[in-house]
Amino acid sequence: SARWDRAHLHQFWLADGHRIGEPDDDDDDPASVLDDRQTKLDRLKAGEQFVYEFDFGDSWLHLCTVGRQRVDPEQTLGIVPPHPSPYLGWGSIPDQYGRESDDDGAGGLPVDPKGADLPRIGPWDVQR
């Protein structure tokens, strides 16, 4: 269930240039990352997009959009989660290790557009 507080390092890249995650004293500029234990995503407005990066080694990047309407989590999800939670999305979620099936034979992976098809937010902006 979409938990960003488990095991792997993570961060959120906001359109205004801020990053929210776990500050790291080894970072070139540790003040550039807002502490995710003290910063809330409620600073974002309806329709605003941000990037969620999970697992810095593999850099799983997810483009997220703040919903235009507030939702009743109990009605939509059947629960009231203790933390922000995604509730709608599209596409398939790829296996973390690139496997395409239980028996991954010689199947190939799709071509990675390297963010060329995405808005200029966070790491996609850096890669261009």
Side-chain angles (χ1 to χ4, degrees):
S1 70
R3 295 280 307 263
W4 51 73
D5 59 345
R6 300 278 183 174
H8 293 289
L9 292 173
H10 65 277
Q11 65 185 338
F12 298 91
W13 298 74
L14 306 185
D16 67 5
H18 286 98
R19 289 185 298 148
I20 300 173
E22 187 175 334
D24 181 357
D25 292 336
D26 293 333
D27 194 338
D28 291 338
D29 183 11
S32 68
V33 179
L34 303 172
D35 190 332
D36 66 359
R37 295 165 295 182
Q38 299 175 9
T39 306
K40 296 185 179 209
L41 292 175
D42 64 358
R43 67 193 288 153
L44 302 173
K45 296 176 176 49
E48 191 169 348
Q49 292 186 311
F50 63 96
V51 172
Y52 166 54
E53 180 178 10
F54 172 79
D55 186 352
F56 293 171
D58 287 325
S59 191
W60 290 81
L61 302 172
H62 306 273
L63 178 62
C64 305
T65 304
V66 178
R68 296 208 178 272
Q69 299 175 349
R70 295 187 68 82
V71 298
D72 178 342
E74 192 160 18
Q75 181 181 4
T76 304
L77 303 171
I79 62 168
V80 177
H83 305 287
S85 179
Y87 67 93
L88 179 68
W90 59 267
S92 62
I93 298 174
D95 180 81
Q96 181 174 358
Y97 300 104
R99 297 171 294 208
E100 294 182 328
S101 69
D102 288 341
D103 181 22
D104 189 76
L109 295 174
V111 175
D112 182 356
K114 304 285 187 213
D117 57 337
L118 299 167
R120 300 181 67 99
I121 300 173
W124 290 308
D125 193 29
V126 174
Q127 292 175 0
R128 292 185 192 173

